[in-house]
Amino acid sequence: MLQIPCRIFCNTSRCLSFSSRPTLPKSWNRKPNKFKLVLNSGYEVPMIGLGTWNSSQADVVEAVRIALLVGYRHIDCAHVYRNEHIIGPALSAALDNQYLDRQDIFITSKLWNTFHRPDLVRPACKKTLKDLETSYLDLYLMHSPMAFREGSSLFPKDAHGKLLFSTVSFIDTWKEMEKLVEDGLCKSIGVANFNEDQLKVLLENCKIPPAVNQIECHPFLIQKSLIEFCKSKGIAITAYSPLGSPNSHGWKGKNQPTIIREYEVDKLSYEFEKTSAQVLIRYQLQRGNIVIPKSVNSSRIASNFDIEDFELSEQNMSSLDKLNRDFRFFTFSYAKHHPDYPFVKYKKSKSTFEKIKDKVSKE
């Protein structure tokens, strides 16, 4: 398995700075890898990105710095992660010191659920642009089809602790996101956590089709049907939690399965002399999916990027597919009574469908 000696990393990390071009350990690949994908918007996206969800403000700046030094050129962010104002200066440091140009970095962010109301979409985007210290986003995603009550709280609740919703249609939200593209604030737009029926509704009511659907995806949840539908419509997939979020608080309980400890994953790790994480990342890439593993550990960030020198066979891929059990680590159960909750058989909710019908009749 790939290992970076602790002594080498510790000695090197003291001198890592965007003010110079440091010499990195030979096992670290500073060049962007070959895995790239052209979106339906015409823009190219690096298929391995650094996930920043659940990364503390203290850790994320170093994680971003190391990732860019290693060779990552895609950083996945979101307003609800509450660390974009920390990531922005880290990205700017690379640009200001001529380590990278802005066009070398692909930045993704997401519109949170409390900003779905049309008049809030642009201000929310501009807040993200300010925090990330950039004039445009390469990709802006609607974080969820579910609109939450507008206000200062990201998770608004009533006196009984029940989540409060908004009746805004995700179609109305999308139309405002299209204007962001037209005005040059975003190069591409997409969605996250949308199911097939919701995507069909969106595709029937948009000028700009979503470039990406970011979904939970790993061998326990291979999402075969949804992925096939998306690709048939030219919508790329970004797989979040590709390792199953082993250190996440988002699990449904304490005694949940661990993908990286599965026998089949461990066997392939031994066979290829790679880490389990590398096997799982390579699995997503060979399925044609963008993948955004999250880590704040420097050696793991480097290791997760080092996946070019091996390839899974069709039999290997099939063996990982067979681990599927339609198991979600992230169910968003706190919002399961929302009319646009995506993880059930979709019903035509009043908030989305009746408003569309009313608009059509008026036109």
Side-chain angles (χ1 to χ4, degrees), residues 244-268:
S245 296
N247 299 316
S248 167
H249 297 296
W251 284 24
K252 293 187 288 187
K254 295 181 179 180
N255 300 315
Q256 301 302 331
T258 306
I259 299 174
I260 60 175
R261 294 175 187 167
E262 277 288 316
Y263 170 77
E264 189 61 35
V265 177
D266 195 52
K267 184 178 74 171
L268 292 175

PDB file of all heavy atoms in Angstrom, residues 244-268:
ATOM      1  N   GLY A 244     -18.087   6.135   2.019  1.00  0.00           N
ATOM      2  CA  GLY A 244     -19.104   5.789   2.998  1.00  0.00           C
ATOM      3  C   GLY A 244     -19.081   6.648   4.236  1.00  0.00           C
ATOM      4  O   GLY A 244     -19.749   6.339   5.217  1.00  0.00           O
ATOM      5  N   SER A 245     -18.308   7.738   4.215  1.00  0.00           N
ATOM      6  CA  SER A 245     -18.241   8.658   5.370  1.00  0.00           C
ATOM      7  C   SER A 245     -18.004   7.927   6.678  1.00  0.00           C
ATOM      8  O   SER A 245     -18.813   8.002   7.610  1.00  0.00           O
ATOM      9  CB  SER A 245     -19.527   9.494   5.448  1.00  0.00           C
ATOM     10  OG  SER A 245     -19.644  10.312   4.319  1.00  0.00           O
ATOM     11  N   PRO A 246     -16.880   7.217   6.794  1.00  0.00           N
ATOM     12  CA  PRO A 246     -16.617   6.433   8.006  1.00  0.00           C
ATOM     13  C   PRO A 246     -16.504   7.246   9.279  1.00  0.00           C
ATOM     14  O   PRO A 246     -16.747   6.724  10.366  1.00  0.00           O
ATOM     15  CB  PRO A 246     -15.282   5.733   7.682  1.00  0.00           C
ATOM     16  CG  PRO A 246     -14.660   6.561   6.612  1.00  0.00           C
ATOM     17  CD  PRO A 246     -15.805   7.082   5.798  1.00  0.00           C
ATOM     18  N   ASN A 247     -16.146   8.530   9.176  1.00  0.00           N
ATOM     19  CA  ASN A 247     -16.000   9.361  10.371  1.00  0.00           C
ATOM     20  C   ASN A 247     -17.122  10.382  10.513  1.00  0.00           C
ATOM     21  O   ASN A 247     -17.014  11.336  11.249  1.00  0.00           O
ATOM     22  CB  ASN A 247     -14.653  10.101  10.319  1.00  0.00           C
ATOM     23  CG  ASN A 247     -13.487   9.146  10.285  1.00  0.00           C
ATOM     24  OD1 ASN A 247     -13.465   8.174  11.033  1.00  0.00           O
ATOM     25  ND2 ASN A 247     -12.523   9.410   9.416  1.00  0.00           N
ATOM     26  N   SER A 248     -18.214  10.144   9.782  1.00  0.00           N
ATOM     27  CA  SER A 248     -19.292  11.126   9.738  1.00  0.00           C
ATOM     28  C   SER A 248     -20.276  10.969  10.883  1.00  0.00           C
ATOM     29  O   SER A 248     -20.576   9.879  11.335  1.00  0.00           O
ATOM     30  CB  SER A 248     -20.042  10.996   8.407  1.00  0.00           C
ATOM     31  OG  SER A 248     -21.242  11.704   8.448  1.00  0.00           O
ATOM     32  N   HIS A 249     -20.813  12.114  11.307  1.00  0.00           N
ATOM     33  CA  HIS A 249     -21.898  12.107  12.296  1.00  0.00           C
ATOM     34  C   HIS A 249     -23.248  11.993  11.603  1.00  0.00           C
ATOM     35  O   HIS A 249     -24.288  12.037  12.241  1.00  0.00           O
ATOM     36  CB  HIS A 249     -21.855  13.389  13.131  1.00  0.00           C
ATOM     37  CG  HIS A 249     -20.602  13.529  13.934  1.00  0.00           C
ATOM     38  ND1 HIS A 249     -20.258  12.657  14.940  1.00  0.00           N
ATOM     39  CD2 HIS A 249     -19.588  14.428  13.845  1.00  0.00           C
ATOM     40  CE1 HIS A 249     -19.092  13.032  15.468  1.00  0.00           C
ATOM     41  NE2 HIS A 249     -18.674  14.097  14.814  1.00  0.00           N
ATOM     42  N   GLY A 250     -23.233  11.877  10.281  1.00  0.00           N
ATOM     43  CA  GLY A 250     -24.476  11.819   9.532  1.00  0.00           C
ATOM     44  C   GLY A 250     -25.063  10.419   9.461  1.00  0.00           C
ATOM     45  O   GLY A 250     -26.069  10.184   8.823  1.00  0.00           O
ATOM     46  N   TRP A 251     -24.407   9.448  10.086  1.00  0.00           N
ATOM     47  CA  TRP A 251     -24.894   8.072  10.053  1.00  0.00           C
ATOM     48  C   TRP A 251     -26.235   7.952  10.769  1.00  0.00           C
ATOM     49  O   TRP A 251     -26.567   8.723  11.649  1.00  0.00           O
ATOM     50  CB  TRP A 251     -23.880   7.148  10.727  1.00  0.00           C
ATOM     51  CG  TRP A 251     -22.690   6.862   9.891  1.00  0.00           C
ATOM     52  CD1 TRP A 251     -22.189   7.628   8.872  1.00  0.00           C
ATOM     53  CD2 TRP A 251     -21.843   5.729   9.998  1.00  0.00           C
ATOM     54  NE1 TRP A 251     -21.085   7.030   8.342  1.00  0.00           N
ATOM     55  CE2 TRP A 251     -20.845   5.874   9.011  1.00  0.00           C
ATOM     56  CE3 TRP A 251     -21.823   4.606  10.821  1.00  0.00           C
ATOM     57  CZ2 TRP A 251     -19.838   4.928   8.833  1.00  0.00           C
ATOM     58  CZ3 TRP A 251     -20.817   3.670  10.641  1.00  0.00           C
ATOM     59  CH2 TRP A 251     -19.850   3.829   9.653  1.00  0.00           C
ATOM     60  N   LYS A 252     -26.942   6.918  10.410  1.00  0.00           N
ATOM     61  CA  LYS A 252     -28.268   6.701  11.002  1.00  0.00           C
ATOM     62  C   LYS A 252     -28.178   6.038  12.375  1.00  0.00           C
ATOM     63  O   LYS A 252     -29.132   6.016  13.121  1.00  0.00           O
ATOM     64  CB  LYS A 252     -29.111   5.842  10.059  1.00  0.00           C
ATOM     65  CG  LYS A 252     -29.470   6.530   8.765  1.00  0.00           C
ATOM     66  CD  LYS A 252     -30.438   5.715   7.948  1.00  0.00           C
ATOM     67  CE  LYS A 252     -29.800   4.501   7.344  1.00  0.00           C
ATOM     68  NZ  LYS A 252     -30.689   3.780   6.414  1.00  0.00           N
ATOM     69  N   GLY A 253     -27.039   5.507  12.701  1.00  0.00           N
ATOM     70  CA  GLY A 253     -26.894   4.835  13.987  1.00  0.00           C
ATOM     71  C   GLY A 253     -25.453   4.465  14.235  1.00  0.00           C
ATOM     72  O   GLY A 253     -24.576   4.710  13.410  1.00  0.00           O
ATOM     73  N   LYS A 254     -25.192   3.861  15.372  1.00  0.00           N
ATOM     74  CA  LYS A 254     -23.821   3.539  15.751  1.00  0.00           C
ATOM     75  C   LYS A 254     -23.291   2.307  15.028  1.00  0.00           C
ATOM     76  O   LYS A 254     -22.135   2.257  14.628  1.00  0.00           O
ATOM     77  CB  LYS A 254     -23.741   3.326  17.268  1.00  0.00           C
ATOM     78  CG  LYS A 254     -24.030   4.573  18.086  1.00  0.00           C
ATOM     79  CD  LYS A 254     -23.910   4.271  19.567  1.00  0.00           C
ATOM     80  CE  LYS A 254     -24.174   5.522  20.402  1.00  0.00           C
ATOM     81  NZ  LYS A 254     -24.074   5.251  21.851  1.00  0.00           N
ATOM     82  N   ASN A 255     -24.116   1.298  14.880  1.00  0.00           N
ATOM     83  CA  ASN A 255     -23.643   0.031  14.326  1.00  0.00           C
ATOM     84  C   ASN A 255     -23.972  -0.090  12.841  1.00  0.00           C
ATOM     85  O   ASN A 255     -24.706  -0.973  12.422  1.00  0.00           O
ATOM     86  CB  ASN A 255     -24.263  -1.134  15.114  1.00  0.00           C
ATOM     87  CG  ASN A 255     -23.899  -1.089  16.582  1.00  0.00           C
ATOM     88  OD1 ASN A 255     -22.742  -0.854  16.929  1.00  0.00           O
ATOM     89  ND2 ASN A 255     -24.878  -1.302  17.443  1.00  0.00           N
ATOM     90  N   GLN A 256     -23.391   0.801  12.061  1.00  0.00           N
ATOM     91  CA  GLN A 256     -23.636   0.792  10.623  1.00  0.00           C
ATOM     92  C   GLN A 256     -22.458   0.142   9.906  1.00  0.00           C
ATOM     93  O   GLN A 256     -21.341   0.126  10.405  1.00  0.00           O
ATOM     94  CB  GLN A 256     -23.861   2.215  10.116  1.00  0.00           C
ATOM     95  CG  GLN A 256     -25.031   2.926  10.757  1.00  0.00           C
ATOM     96  CD  GLN A 256     -26.342   2.172  10.565  1.00  0.00           C
ATOM     97  OE1 GLN A 256     -26.526   1.459   9.594  1.00  0.00           O
ATOM     98  NE2 GLN A 256     -27.262   2.312  11.509  1.00  0.00           N
ATOM     99  N   PRO A 257     -22.694  -0.399   8.718  1.00  0.00           N
ATOM    100  CA  PRO A 257     -21.625  -1.064   7.974  1.00  0.00           C
ATOM    101  C   PRO A 257     -20.532  -0.089   7.552  1.00  0.00           C
ATOM    102  O   PRO A 257     -20.771   1.105   7.381  1.00  0.00           O
ATOM    103  CB  PRO A 257     -22.360  -1.635   6.753  1.00  0.00           C
ATOM    104  CG  PRO A 257     -23.556  -0.758   6.596  1.00  0.00           C
ATOM    105  CD  PRO A 257     -23.972  -0.401   7.983  1.00  0.00           C
ATOM    106  N   THR A 258     -19.348  -0.594   7.382  1.00  0.00           N
ATOM    107  CA  THR A 258     -18.196   0.209   6.993  1.00  0.00           C
ATOM    108  C   THR A 258     -17.659  -0.297   5.666  1.00  0.00           C
ATOM    109  O   THR A 258     -17.134  -1.415   5.590  1.00  0.00           O
ATOM    110  CB  THR A 258     -17.094   0.144   8.068  1.00  0.00           C
ATOM    111  OG1 THR A 258     -17.645   0.511   9.334  1.00  0.00           O
ATOM    112  CG2 THR A 258     -15.948   1.078   7.717  1.00  0.00           C
ATOM    113  N   ILE A 259     -17.765   0.487   4.631  1.00  0.00           N
ATOM    114  CA  ILE A 259     -17.386   0.041   3.295  1.00  0.00           C
ATOM    115  C   ILE A 259     -15.905  -0.287   3.210  1.00  0.00           C
ATOM    116  O   ILE A 259     -15.518  -1.304   2.632  1.00  0.00           O
ATOM    117  CB  ILE A 259     -17.744   1.119   2.254  1.00  0.00           C
ATOM    118  CG1 ILE A 259     -19.249   1.368   2.247  1.00  0.00           C
ATOM    119  CG2 ILE A 259     -17.276   0.703   0.862  1.00  0.00           C
ATOM    120  CD1 ILE A 259     -19.671   2.520   1.358  1.00  0.00           C
ATOM    121  N   ILE A 260     -15.065   0.560   3.773  1.00  0.00           N
ATOM    122  CA  ILE A 260     -13.629   0.351   3.611  1.00  0.00           C
ATOM    123  C   ILE A 260     -13.131  -0.901   4.320  1.00  0.00           C
ATOM    124  O   ILE A 260     -12.005  -1.331   4.086  1.00  0.00           O
ATOM    125  CB  ILE A 260     -12.831   1.585   4.094  1.00  0.00           C
ATOM    126  CG1 ILE A 260     -13.104   1.875   5.571  1.00  0.00           C
ATOM    127  CG2 ILE A 260     -13.147   2.798   3.243  1.00  0.00           C
ATOM    128  CD1 ILE A 260     -12.240   3.005   6.122  1.00  0.00           C
ATOM    129  N   ARG A 261     -13.984  -1.503   5.161  1.00  0.00           N
ATOM    130  CA  ARG A 261     -13.594  -2.740   5.837  1.00  0.00           C
ATOM    131  C   ARG A 261     -14.265  -3.969   5.239  1.00  0.00           C
ATOM    132  O   ARG A 261     -14.110  -5.081   5.757  1.00  0.00           O
ATOM    133  CB  ARG A 261     -13.927  -2.637   7.329  1.00  0.00           C
ATOM    134  CG  ARG A 261     -13.092  -1.568   8.045  1.00  0.00           C
ATOM    135  CD  ARG A 261     -13.520  -1.407   9.488  1.00  0.00           C
ATOM    136  NE  ARG A 261     -12.836  -0.288  10.123  1.00  0.00           N
ATOM    137  CZ  ARG A 261     -13.182   0.233  11.285  1.00  0.00           C
ATOM    138  NH1 ARG A 261     -14.233  -0.261  11.940  1.00  0.00           N
ATOM    139  NH2 ARG A 261     -12.502   1.242  11.805  1.00  0.00           N
ATOM    140  N   GLU A 262     -15.015  -3.769   4.175  1.00  0.00           N
ATOM    141  CA  GLU A 262     -15.645  -4.897   3.499  1.00  0.00           C
ATOM    142  C   GLU A 262     -14.577  -5.841   2.943  1.00  0.00           C
ATOM    143  O   GLU A 262     -13.558  -5.400   2.423  1.00  0.00           O
ATOM    144  CB  GLU A 262     -16.531  -4.401   2.354  1.00  0.00           C
ATOM    145  CG  GLU A 262     -17.905  -3.959   2.777  1.00  0.00           C
ATOM    146  CD  GLU A 262     -18.802  -5.122   3.172  1.00  0.00           C
ATOM    147  OE1 GLU A 262     -18.814  -6.144   2.471  1.00  0.00           O
ATOM    148  OE2 GLU A 262     -19.495  -4.984   4.199  1.00  0.00           O
ATOM    149  N   TYR A 263     -14.856  -7.129   3.004  1.00  0.00           N
ATOM    150  CA  TYR A 263     -13.890  -8.125   2.543  1.00  0.00           C
ATOM    151  C   TYR A 263     -13.496  -7.889   1.088  1.00  0.00           C
ATOM    152  O   TYR A 263     -12.306  -7.932   0.749  1.00  0.00           O
ATOM    153  CB  TYR A 263     -14.469  -9.538   2.708  1.00  0.00           C
ATOM    154  CG  TYR A 263     -13.626 -10.599   2.040  1.00  0.00           C
ATOM    155  CD1 TYR A 263     -12.442 -11.039   2.623  1.00  0.00           C
ATOM    156  CD2 TYR A 263     -14.012 -11.144   0.813  1.00  0.00           C
ATOM    157  CE1 TYR A 263     -11.649 -12.004   2.003  1.00  0.00           C
ATOM    158  CE2 TYR A 263     -13.236 -12.101   0.185  1.00  0.00           C
ATOM    159  CZ  TYR A 263     -12.052 -12.535   0.779  1.00  0.00           C
ATOM    160  OH  TYR A 263     -11.282 -13.474   0.158  1.00  0.00           O
ATOM    161  N   GLU A 264     -14.469  -7.634   0.213  1.00  0.00           N
ATOM    162  CA  GLU A 264     -14.178  -7.467  -1.209  1.00  0.00           C
ATOM    163  C   GLU A 264     -13.292  -6.252  -1.453  1.00  0.00           C
ATOM    164  O   GLU A 264     -12.369  -6.292  -2.277  1.00  0.00           O
ATOM    165  CB  GLU A 264     -15.482  -7.329  -2.004  1.00  0.00           C
ATOM    166  CG  GLU A 264     -15.294  -7.377  -3.504  1.00  0.00           C
ATOM    167  CD  GLU A 264     -14.691  -8.687  -3.989  1.00  0.00           C
ATOM    168  OE1 GLU A 264     -15.000  -9.748  -3.408  1.00  0.00           O
ATOM    169  OE2 GLU A 264     -13.893  -8.645  -4.955  1.00  0.00           O
ATOM    170  N   VAL A 265     -13.553  -5.163  -0.734  1.00  0.00           N
ATOM    171  CA  VAL A 265     -12.742  -3.957  -0.863  1.00  0.00           C
ATOM    172  C   VAL A 265     -11.335  -4.216  -0.342  1.00  0.00           C
ATOM    173  O   VAL A 265     -10.332  -3.842  -0.969  1.00  0.00           O
ATOM    174  CB  VAL A 265     -13.390  -2.779  -0.107  1.00  0.00           C
ATOM    175  CG1 VAL A 265     -12.504  -1.537  -0.169  1.00  0.00           C
ATOM    176  CG2 VAL A 265     -14.773  -2.470  -0.680  1.00  0.00           C
ATOM    177  N   ASP A 266     -11.256  -4.886   0.794  1.00  0.00           N
ATOM    178  CA  ASP A 266      -9.956  -5.194   1.387  1.00  0.00           C
ATOM    179  C   ASP A 266      -9.147  -6.125   0.487  1.00  0.00           C
ATOM    180  O   ASP A 266      -7.931  -5.975   0.346  1.00  0.00           O
ATOM    181  CB  ASP A 266     -10.167  -5.832   2.764  1.00  0.00           C
ATOM    182  CG  ASP A 266      -8.892  -5.855   3.584  1.00  0.00           C
ATOM    183  OD1 ASP A 266      -8.265  -4.792   3.721  1.00  0.00           O
ATOM    184  OD2 ASP A 266      -8.527  -6.936   4.079  1.00  0.00           O
ATOM    185  N   LYS A 267      -9.830  -7.054  -0.150  1.00  0.00           N
ATOM    186  CA  LYS A 267      -9.153  -7.996  -1.051  1.00  0.00           C
ATOM    187  C   LYS A 267      -8.542  -7.255  -2.237  1.00  0.00           C
ATOM    188  O   LYS A 267      -7.390  -7.520  -2.629  1.00  0.00           O
ATOM    189  CB  LYS A 267     -10.148  -9.052  -1.539  1.00  0.00           C
ATOM    190  CG  LYS A 267      -9.506 -10.142  -2.402  1.00  0.00           C
ATOM    191  CD  LYS A 267     -10.520 -11.187  -2.821  1.00  0.00           C
ATOM    192  CE  LYS A 267     -11.452 -10.658  -3.890  1.00  0.00           C
ATOM    193  NZ  LYS A 267     -12.313 -11.718  -4.469  1.00  0.00           N
ATOM    194  N   LEU A 268      -9.296  -6.341  -2.827  1.00  0.00           N
ATOM    195  CA  LEU A 268      -8.780  -5.577  -3.955  1.00  0.00           C
ATOM    196  C   LEU A 268      -7.648  -4.650  -3.521  1.00  0.00           C
ATOM    197  O   LEU A 268      -6.681  -4.432  -4.266  1.00  0.00           O
ATOM    198  CB  LEU A 268      -9.906  -4.764  -4.595  1.00  0.00           C
ATOM    199  CG  LEU A 268     -10.991  -5.583  -5.300  1.00  0.00           C
ATOM    200  CD1 LEU A 268     -12.118  -4.678  -5.778  1.00  0.00           C
ATOM    201  CD2 LEU A 268     -10.406  -6.364  -6.470  1.00  0.00           C
TER     202      LEU A 268
END
